[in-house]
Amino acid sequence: MINLFIFTSSFLSLLVLISGASKTDYFTSFSPDLPLPTSPSPTFSLIRDSWSTTSNIFFSLFYLYINPERSTTPLLLSSHLSLPHFLSFSSHHIPLSTINPFNHLSSLFSSSSMDRDLFSHIDTDLNSISYLSLNYDHFDSALSSIVSSPSAAPTPPGPNDSLVLRELIGRLGTICNNKSASVGAGDHSANTSCYSTPLSSPPKSSLHPLPNMNPNPNPMPFAPDPGFADRAARMPCFGGGPHMAMSGQLSRVSSSQSLMDAGMTGGVQLEGELPVRENGAGGRGANNGRKRKAGVKGKGKEASLASSGTVNSKISEEDQSAKRCRPDCKAGEKKGGTEEKNGNCSENNNGDRENKNDSDSNNANAKPVEPPKDYIHVRARRGQATDSHSLAERVRREKISERMKLLQDLVPGCNKVTGKAVMLDEIINYVQSLQRQVEFLSMKLATVNTPSDVNMDNLLQKDMQQPLYRSAFSYPNQPQVAPLNSLLATNSIPNLGMQPSSNLPFDGFGNANPQIGGFWEDDLQSVVQMGFGQNQEAALSSQSFQGSGPSSSDMKIEL
Amino acid sequence: MASVPSSSSSSPSQPKTRKKPGQNSSPAPPPQTKWRTGTQERLYSRRLVDALRATRDRTQVQESVGSRAVKEAADSALALTARGQSRWSRAILFGRNSCRRKLLVKAGGKIRRHRRKQHGVPPVAAEPGVLKEQKVKERLRKLGRLVPGCRKLPAATLLEEAADYVAALELQVRTMRALADALSAATVSAPEEEETAAVDPMAIAEQGS
């Protein structure tokens, strides 16, 4: 006994030292004796221990009432460890009022993040505690939960304790069921509710609307395994972000349950759900499909999935609809979505979780109707990942292919070519050739430019602006220009008309150009000399810039 | 080039229904129809003529007209015709107005004349899929270098700009060729014209009525 007291007192002192500053404040203020080392005389130690334990307990109660949610690891541990003292002294001295808070203690203890080192210390006391817990009804809920928490630790308890643990776990289930009404009332409901949720109905858990799950930055301990399993089981929809976290948590839960060798239905259900989820994800991947903006194929996909299994379909539908909305949101955000859009997306997300049918119908209705805003509804195709990232990638790729097609129409001779690289090669060659032509023509213009100033004004202006047969009237002052106009009209139009319809390979275009120009010049000179200019121009004036100008051979004949 | 540009001879005015710069996606007219209308040609030709005249006037005093000046004038005229709606046109216009060097020096950045080949050569690719990607990326980069002001654009925008630029270049080539030929014809046949100058206007008038 004395050894036990010394041990506990030393442990308490250790705890005090380990605990944070905020907590030690209270400790030191209320129990100045604690930091002291083990006392020399046993009687004095006994007295001190008793006083320390009582003070601890009362202080812990006080602390709990003040800050129920704070993690009070050392407090609880100390209080729990002092329990043997209590029980050893006399149970009668303990007022009943102290027993009730142990429910709180248990819940807190379960919710707080446990230090594994402390668990190892607790293991040694497990036997005593478990034995004691079996005797005391009031302590059952508290102690069983406490026991279950260390049992869930990665270091599995010894084989002797397994039976005890199983008993306790079973009791825990029953206790929680019994206490669901009493406990869940006005307590630290967040934590006790997880206990109060009926463990026997996990199949419904997946279909429950998702409670406000805060992705805990501190990973939930294995302590509230039934509650945690329940909560985990309630998470039907794997988002892109929390997906990994949830899967990790689920795996942990399953492993811990396997450790505990629990016969709980919750564990079985979870394991059943895990492969279901995987199938859902895999099924989606295995299906073949096309991404499109209409909702017909997607509906067919949902129907096919629904046929495979209710749970599977529901999960997949949820995921699918969630994913549907996510790329919408993402696309909307990309396009500078307004708040309405985001509200729309969030609404859709919530609606998905609650009423899948409604969300499907909404989405289906939204798809054929082009939103007035500027974003694109994107639906994942069959057989392709529904990750929001990949969907955005696909949108981007489609945009690029669209533009490539546009370029293909522009660049001559690219219809046969397939493949981005070769197409780009062709485009680059074409652009380079065009630029070279421009350079060449600019050189030519430079040489032609200097001699006459006046011609420049009227040359092309009049050609382009007015029908050519009127050009003569517009130049009263410059009669010599009029025939030039006619000449140039004849000269220019065939060039303009020829360009679009010519099939000359652009490799030799630069070379062919001066020849053709020279050819026309010669012809036109002869025309002028013959005086057939006006005839030609009249004939040619009708062929302005329509692009379907006569071929070179026709021009020859005309001339 | 199978597409036929819309006829524009009947429209005396030059209505320019241009898309706003904000709309970048589907509402934008494809570059073919945009650049092949007669209005564009008229506009461009007019601008080109003005630019050439200005160039000639400017350089006549000093020296012979440089071909580069002509080219720049032509490019600026083309960019003006594009009305600054495309990236390359803005790049051309702003590149001409203020010397690029001054801008860059002011900004504090280095002027990189040549693109180092070391950067351009990619390392050995692991799979053929990666190889193709690299080829495509290389070509996209090359295209970005060709199109003015489009060096660091993403692929989609780059392709759009390239399409616009290609159409504009075609227009430019057409117009310049016509102009050059006209000018050359004019200069060549100028001395012979004067003889028949009196006759032709009358003949033309008769033909027109």
Side-chain angles (χ1 to χ4, degrees):
Chain A
M1 281 298 251
I2 293 169
N3 289 336
L4 193 60
F5 295 151
I6 292 166
F7 168 76
T8 50
S9 63
S10 61
F11 187 62
L12 283 169
S13 62
L14 271 173
L15 284 173
V16 168
L17 291 170
I18 289 163
S19 68
S22 57
K23 293 158 195 158
T24 50
D25 291 339
Y26 280 104
F27 266 113
T28 52
S29 63
F30 283 95
S31 54
D33 293 334
L34 284 171
L36 287 176
T38 59
S39 57
S41 64
T43 53
F44 191 64
S45 68
L46 265 171
I47 295 162
R48 178 170 290 134
D49 285 337
S50 62
W51 188 85
S52 66
T53 49
T54 49
S55 66
N56 271 340
I57 284 169
F58 283 115
F59 161 68
S60 63
L61 296 172
F62 176 69
Y63 195 69
L64 283 167
Y65 279 116
I66 290 172
N67 297 325
E69 290 300 328
R70 290 184 58 173
S71 65
T72 53
T73 308
L75 283 171
L76 294 164
L77 280 171
S78 63
S79 57
H80 290 313
L81 285 167
S82 62
L83 277 172
H85 307 313
F86 267 120
L87 303 166
S88 63
F89 280 130
S90 62
S91 59
H92 307 289
H93 292 301
I94 302 165
L96 279 174
S97 58
T98 61
I99 291 163
N100 291 331
F102 275 113
N103 297 332
H104 305 293
L105 278 178
S106 67
S107 58
L108 283 168
F109 186 77
S110 56
S111 62
S112 66
S113 58
M114 304 302 295
D115 210 359
R116 288 185 193 160
D117 300 332
L118 303 173
F119 272 121
S120 56
H121 294 288
I122 293 165
D123 282 343
T124 60
D125 289 334
L126 263 178
N127 286 328
S128 56
I129 290 172
S130 59
Y131 174 74
L132 292 164
S133 67
L134 288 169
N135 297 332
Y136 291 90
D137 285 336
H138 290 289
F139 286 113
D140 268 342
S141 59
L143 292 171
S144 56
S145 64
I146 296 154
V147 170
S148 65
S149 53
S151 67
T155 62
N160 348 343
D161 298 329
S162 58
L163 284 165
V164 174
L165 286 173
R166 273 187 227 140
E167 263 190 9
L168 286 169
I169 289 151
R171 280 181 170 237
L172 175 63
T174 57
I175 288 161
C176 282
N177 285 333
N178 295 337
K179 296 226 169 183
S180 61
S182 59
V183 172
D187 296 332
H188 322 298
S189 53
N191 297 317
T192 51
S193 61
C194 67
Y195 281 98
S196 60
T197 51
L199 295 168
S200 56
S201 65
K204 291 183 204 162
S205 61
S206 63
L207 305 179
H208 280 316
L210 189 65
N212 210 359
M213 285 294 301
N214 308 325
N216 294 327
N218 308 326
M220 288 293 293
F222 299 118
D225 268 321
F228 183 74
D230 213 33
R231 216 181 296 168
R234 276 206 211 146
M235 286 273 284
C237 180
F238 284 110
H243 179 90
M244 298 315 294
M246 275 314 298
S247 62
Q249 284 172 345
L250 273 175
S251 60
R252 261 195 292 151
V253 167
S254 61
S255 64
S256 66
Q257 287 179 346
S258 63
L259 266 177
M260 281 166 36
D261 195 12
M264 291 198 313
T265 53
V268 172
Q269 188 57 34
L270 263 183
E271 280 157 25
E273 275 184 2
L274 264 176
V276 159
R277 290 231 174 76
E278 285 157 14
N279 284 340
R284 274 198 302 281
N287 292 334
N288 299 321
R290 316 278 305 164
K291 180 177 74 168
R292 47 201 290 279
K293 299 179 188 178
V296 177
K297 269 196 181 175
K299 273 197 169 173
K301 172 185 170 189
E302 286 165 21
S304 68
L305 284 175
S307 64
S308 59
T310 54
V311 177
N312 195 355
S313 66
K314 271 174 185 156
I315 292 167
S316 55
E317 270 180 10
E318 264 187 337
D319 290 349
Q320 189 193 24
S321 47
K323 294 290 188 299
R324 230 183 292 138
C325 293
R326 215 161 283 114
D328 296 351
C329 299
K330 197 162 182 187
E333 284 159 18
K334 274 198 296 185
K335 301 260 180 185
T338 60
E339 288 159 2
E340 292 179 26
K341 262 183 267 166
N342 292 333
N344 232 357
C345 289
S346 61
E347 277 171 20
N348 272 337
N349 282 326
N350 295 334
D352 283 339
R353 297 211 182 97
E354 289 164 8
N355 286 323
K356 289 166 196 118
N357 295 332
D358 290 349
S359 68
D360 292 344
S361 61
N362 284 339
N363 276 332
N365 291 337
K367 293 272 179 351
V369 175
E370 270 302 317
K373 316 279 171 152
D374 208 18
Y375 67 108
I376 302 169
H377 281 278
V378 164
R379 191 186 278 264
R381 303 187 223 193
R382 283 165 61 96
Q384 287 168 347
T386 53
D387 192 20
S388 63
H389 289 293
S390 52
L391 279 169
E393 273 271 329
R394 203 153 290 116
V395 170
R396 180 181 149 271
R397 259 182 272 156
E398 281 193 358
K399 257 203 252 180
I400 287 176
S401 60
E402 204 183 299
R403 307 249 162 95
M404 290 280 289
K405 277 187 210 145
L406 206 63
L407 271 171
Q408 214 171 18
D409 295 335
L410 271 179
V411 177
C414 272
N415 300 324
K416 308 152 194 169
V417 174
T418 49
K420 275 197 212 171
V422 190
M423 259 293 299
L424 283 170
D425 258 347
E426 286 294 315
I427 290 165
I428 286 167
N429 288 338
Y430 187 57
V431 168
Q432 278 172 345
S433 74
L434 281 177
Q435 283 178 341
R436 261 182 267 133
Q437 278 172 45
V438 167
E439 274 186 49
F440 170 78
L441 283 169
S442 69
M443 247 194 322
K444 196 171 172 193
L445 273 173
T447 58
V448 179
N449 230 359
T450 34
S452 49
D453 297 337
V454 187
N455 298 338
M456 291 278 296
D457 296 337
N458 307 316
L459 274 176
L460 284 173
Q461 272 181 8
K462 302 310 170 182
D463 291 344
M464 310 294 177
Q465 242 181 7
Q466 299 162 4
L468 298 159
Y469 52 86
R470 285 199 197 145
S471 59
F473 294 115
S474 59
Y475 297 99
N477 301 329
Q478 296 155 355
Q480 70 275 9
V481 182
L484 279 178
N485 280 337
S486 63
L487 280 172
L488 296 165
T490 58
N491 202 1
S492 60
I493 286 173
N495 280 330
L496 288 167
M498 205 177 66
Q499 280 311 100
S501 58
S502 71
N503 294 325
L504 291 171
F506 278 96
D507 298 334
F509 194 70
N511 299 330
N513 191 12
Q515 295 169 6
I516 292 166
F519 172 79
W520 286 118
E521 281 179 35
D522 294 337
D523 277 353
L524 286 167
Q525 282 178 20
S526 61
V527 163
V528 166
Q529 285 164 5
M530 285 195 212
F532 293 145
Q534 58 273 26
N535 296 333
Q536 306 309 320
E537 113 198 19
L540 291 168
S541 62
S542 57
Q543 298 168 9
S544 65
F545 310 114
Q546 299 204 2
S548 59
S551 60
S552 53
S553 57
D554 289 345
M555 287 309 299
K556 259 196 215 175
I557 292 164
E558 290 264 14
L559 287 171
Chain B
M1 305 193 210
S3 64
V4 176
S6 57
S7 64
S8 54
S9 54
S10 55
S11 59
S13 65
Q14 295 124 23
K16 292 165 242 168
T17 54
R18 311 268 190 144
K19 63 179 165 77
K20 303 262 154 59
Q23 299 174 9
N24 286 327
S25 55
S26 46
Q32 298 131 301
T33 59
K34 182 184 160 204
W35 280 104
R36 289 206 185 148
T37 57
T39 49
Q40 298 279 356
E41 289 189 358
R42 276 186 240 132
L43 283 168
Y44 177 62
S45 53
R46 192 191 300 148
R47 285 218 176 92
L48 182 63
V49 166
D50 292 340
L52 286 176
R53 201 187 320 136
T55 322
R56 197 168 8 100
D57 293 340
R58 219 183 302 132
T59 58
Q60 214 171 16
V61 183
Q62 308 154 8
E63 73 229 7
S64 62
V65 182
S67 64
R68 179 175 282 200
V70 171
K71 177 175 176 265
E72 286 191 2
D75 287 340
S76 310
L78 186 69
L80 269 177
T81 316
R83 286 215 150 187
Q85 280 172 353
S86 46
R87 222 173 268 260
W88 58 266
S89 61
R90 285 193 291 264
I92 290 175
L93 288 174
F94 298 141
R96 300 268 183 272
N97 288 348
S98 50
C99 185
R100 208 180 298 160
R101 257 189 221 175
K102 288 181 196 164
L103 271 178
L104 286 174
V105 167
K106 270 191 193 171
K110 277 191 263 181
I111 302 162
R112 235 178 289 159
R113 298 295 282 183
H114 310 289
R115 206 187 141 143
R116 311 271 151 83
K117 270 301 171 181
Q118 298 138 20
H119 292 296
V121 175
V124 182
E127 318 149 2
V130 183
L131 252 175
K132 278 184 191 161
E133 262 187 50
Q134 281 175 349
K135 274 193 205 167
V136 171
K137 282 203 177 148
E138 242 184 88
R139 270 139 199 184
L140 278 175
R141 254 179 273 142
K142 210 173 169 192
L143 189 63
R145 266 181 282 147
L146 281 176
V147 182
C150 295
R151 279 185 190 236
K152 287 186 185 176
L153 281 188
T157 351
L158 179 59
L159 290 174
E160 210 181 326
E161 292 289 320
D164 208 37
Y165 188 58
V166 159
L169 274 182
E170 284 180 3
L171 170 70
Q172 188 180 30
V173 164
R174 265 196 308 241
T175 321
M176 281 177 75
R177 185 171 295 124
L179 183 58
D181 293 338
L183 273 180
S184 59
T187 52
V188 167
S189 56
E192 289 112 359
E193 287 299 309
E194 292 163 358
E195 299 168 8
T196 53
V199 178
D200 282 341
M202 303 307 291
I204 289 163
E206 279 176 25
Q207 201 69 25
S209 57

